[in-house]
Amino acid sequence: MKVPHSKLHNPNVVPLSVIVYMAWRNLVHKKLRAFLTIFGVVIGIGAIFFLLSFGIGLQRLVTNEVIGNQSLKSIDVSTANSKILKLDEDTRQKIRKLPHVVRVGTTYSYAASLKLQGSEVDSIIYGVDENYQILANLNAVQGRLLKNNDNKSIVINRAAMESMGIKDQQSAIGKQIAVRIPLSNAGTDKKELADTFTIIGVIASGSGSEVFVPMHVFQLAKLKVYSQLKLEADESVNVNGLRRQIESMGFVTTSPIDTVDQINQIFKFFNIVLAGFGGIGMIVAILGMFNTLTISLLERTKEIGLMVALGGRSRDMRKLFIFEALLLSFIGAVLGIISAVIGGQIVNLLLNVWAQQRGVENSFNLFATPPLLVLGTIVFMLCVGVAVVYFPARRAERINPIEALRRE
């Protein structure tokens, strides 16, 4: 069976590569106009990307400062001063057996007084096990953390060390401090715990004075009710389900996820406001692109009419303008993103230098460039380009070649 020639090849179809080449050549031919149009897109996209990058970077910085090294998979369990519910060993075992629970840490916390070489300071003392230290992400900057079988060992934070007059954290290791813990309202026969402990480690957590001892110090005093439980879920997506199960028992739960959600909620509106300010420049870029494509259409009416008269299809003329707009959008978006990233790094460097001159030790990054933001910005600009070229492209598609050639 013989296939008609028109089925094998349509001579009126302009290859896509030719259309792209013609769009590119038109931009190159009108260098100044193309430059000004792309420059407008660079300013618009650069402003939006710069402000959104700043918003996301600031959000991450605030989240890291507030959450610190806490795991989003951790849950704190307390009784909210209830006189009926108790966080005892039975409760700990019940919670440990819940699905998706990886580990459970326990802690006692009481007010205490610390005495070293005649100086006495008030502090909070925690009786902890190894699981709690892991879940609380305690890190020793000097020495080591506690083990469950340690005897008369204590870990202090820098604030406690400095309040006792110890200047050097290395020299703090091995010093002995007298600890007194009032237990009048702790539900035990003992009125207080008093003993001497040897410092084995220094940590950097907390701005107030805090010290940590093995939990058996409180268990020997027959204290059966914990101050708090801290548990870890296997995955962060299971945290909310675990919290509902624990809260159904009557206990109160908190999680770093609550804080992250609040921060995200605030910055969601903040980023919208920033994008709105950047959108002012985007409006200018859109108007410039529309003006460029419209003028290009008016200048090339005869050319388009001739192409249609020679066999080109009307839809090919539409594609020509669409690709021209896409090239302007893509080049402008890429250059705008690069400019915004460079500008953000310069601003960030200057702010870090300024902060270090005023005593800030740790460096910070106020700008973030997640890949999704880069991709989303480029796709957004391409969509804007298609929207802007809609009317010029339709007009190019409807040009009557006879009238175009006669008018020209």
Side-chain angles (χ1 to χ4, degrees):
M1 179 179 177
K2 186 177 180 180
V3 181
H5 179 73
S6 59
K7 295 292 183 180
L8 295 174
H9 174 68
N10 188 350
N12 293 333
V13 176
V14 180
L16 189 61
S17 58
V18 174
I19 294 176
V20 174
Y21 175 77
M22 291 176 64
W24 171 253
R25 288 297 301 171
N26 184 59
L27 295 181
V28 173
H29 181 66
K30 304 291 184 179
K31 292 183 178 64
L32 180 60
R33 183 189 302 167
F35 169 78
L36 293 176
T37 305
I38 292 175
F39 184 70
V41 176
V42 169
I43 293 177
I45 285 296
I48 291 178
F49 192 89
F50 180 87
L51 293 174
L52 287 179
S53 176
F54 170 71
I56 295 173
L58 185 61
Q59 180 179 355
R60 290 182 177 179
L61 182 63
V62 171
T63 301
N64 291 335
E65 287 295 321
V66 174
I67 300 301
N69 54 4
Q70 299 181 66
S71 172
L72 295 180
K73 297 187 289 185
S74 65
I75 303 173
D76 294 334
V77 183
S78 63
T79 60
N81 298 323
S82 173
K83 296 182 179 180
I84 301 174
L85 297 172
K86 295 182 179 180
L87 286 175
D88 51 18
E89 185 60 23
D90 291 338
T91 302
R92 191 190 76 84
Q93 291 292 342
K94 289 180 182 178
I95 292 177
R96 180 64 184 88
K97 293 177 181 178
L98 292 175
H100 307 296
V101 175
V102 176
R103 59 167 63 92
V104 178
T106 56
T107 179
Y108 298 94
S109 62
Y110 290 93
S113 63
L114 313 177
K115 191 173 183 179
L116 174 66
Q117 298 176 349
S119 64
E120 187 171 353
V121 297
D122 293 328
S123 178
I124 300 296
I125 187 167
Y126 297 92
V128 298
D129 58 7
E130 292 184 25
N131 279 342
Y132 188 89
Q133 292 178 101
I134 295 173
L135 295 175
N137 285 302
L138 300 182
N139 294 310
V141 294
Q142 191 69 43
R144 64 174 177 85
L145 297 178
L146 296 165
K147 296 181 180 178
N148 291 337
N149 58 356
D150 279 337
N151 186 31
K152 294 187 178 182
S153 300
I154 192 169
V155 171
I156 66 176
N157 69 348
R158 285 175 177 170
M161 180 190 74
E162 294 170 357
S163 63
M164 288 186 291
I166 305 174
K167 302 298 183 180
D168 183 11
Q169 60 190 27
Q170 187 173 0
S171 64
I173 305 300
K175 289 187 180 295
Q176 293 187 331
I177 58 176
V179 179
R180 187 177 66 85
I181 311 168
L183 299 176
S184 55
N185 298 320
T188 181
D189 295 335
K190 284 194 174 185
K191 293 184 178 180
E192 70 173 20
L193 280 173
D195 210 334
T196 301
F197 295 83
T198 302
I199 300 175
I200 64 168
V202 179
I203 62 175
S205 68
S207 56
S209 178
E210 297 176 343
V211 297
F212 300 82
V213 297
M215 62 183 303
H216 64 71
V217 172
F218 293 93
Q219 291 174 334
L220 291 175
K222 298 182 179 180
L223 291 173
K224 298 181 179 179
V225 179
Y226 305 121
S227 300
Q228 188 187 66
L229 299 181
K230 186 183 282 287
L231 62 95
E232 180 184 19
D234 53 358
E235 297 291 342
S236 57
V237 294
N238 297 320
V239 168
N240 289 331
L242 273 174
R243 293 181 66 182
R244 285 192 292 268
Q245 294 182 68
I246 296 171
E247 289 170 358
S248 67
M249 302 177 188
F251 298 103
V252 177
T253 66
T254 57
S255 172
I257 290 180
D258 296 335
T259 307
V260 172
D261 289 340
Q262 292 175 359
I263 294 174
N264 291 341
Q265 201 66 18
I266 294 172
F267 275 93
K268 181 172 68 175
F269 295 103
F270 181 67
N271 289 333
I272 291 175
V273 173
L274 291 178
F277 283 115
I280 297 174
M282 195 68 247
I283 293 174
V284 177
I286 290 173
L287 293 176
M289 185 182 297
F290 182 79
N291 180 66
T292 296
L293 294 171
T294 302
I295 293 176
S296 178
L297 171 65
L298 295 176
E299 290 179 344
R300 297 160 67 189
T301 301
K302 180 179 179 180
E303 175 187 340
I304 294 172
L306 181 61
M307 290 174 62
V308 173
L310 293 175
R313 299 177 304 172
S314 297
R315 69 182 68 177
D316 294 326
M317 304 306 104
R318 180 184 62 192
K319 291 179 181 179
L320 177 63
F321 279 85
I322 291 176
F323 277 103
E324 195 169 317
L326 290 177
L327 285 173
L328 289 171
S329 301
F330 181 77
I331 296 172
V334 171
L335 294 178
I337 291 172
I338 293 174
S339 302
V341 171
I342 294 174
Q345 293 301 317
I346 293 174
V347 172
N348 195 75
L349 178 62
L350 294 175
L351 288 175
N352 272 275
V353 172
W354 179 80
Q356 289 174 2
Q357 291 175 348
R358 282 154 180 78
V360 178
E361 296 180 358
N362 298 327
S363 60
F364 54 86
N365 194 352
L366 282 177
F367 295 86
T369 54
L372 191 61
L373 177 62
V374 176
L375 180 62
T377 303
I378 294 176
V379 172
F380 166 75
M381 191 59 224
L382 292 178
C383 293
V384 169
V386 172
V388 169
V389 81
Y390 176 76
F391 288 107
R394 279 182 60 87
R395 187 172 177 181
E397 185 181 16
R398 294 179 178 179
I399 288 179
N400 188 312
I402 297 176
E403 293 183 2
L405 294 173
R406 180 187 303 165
R407 185 168 59 249
E408 293 294 334

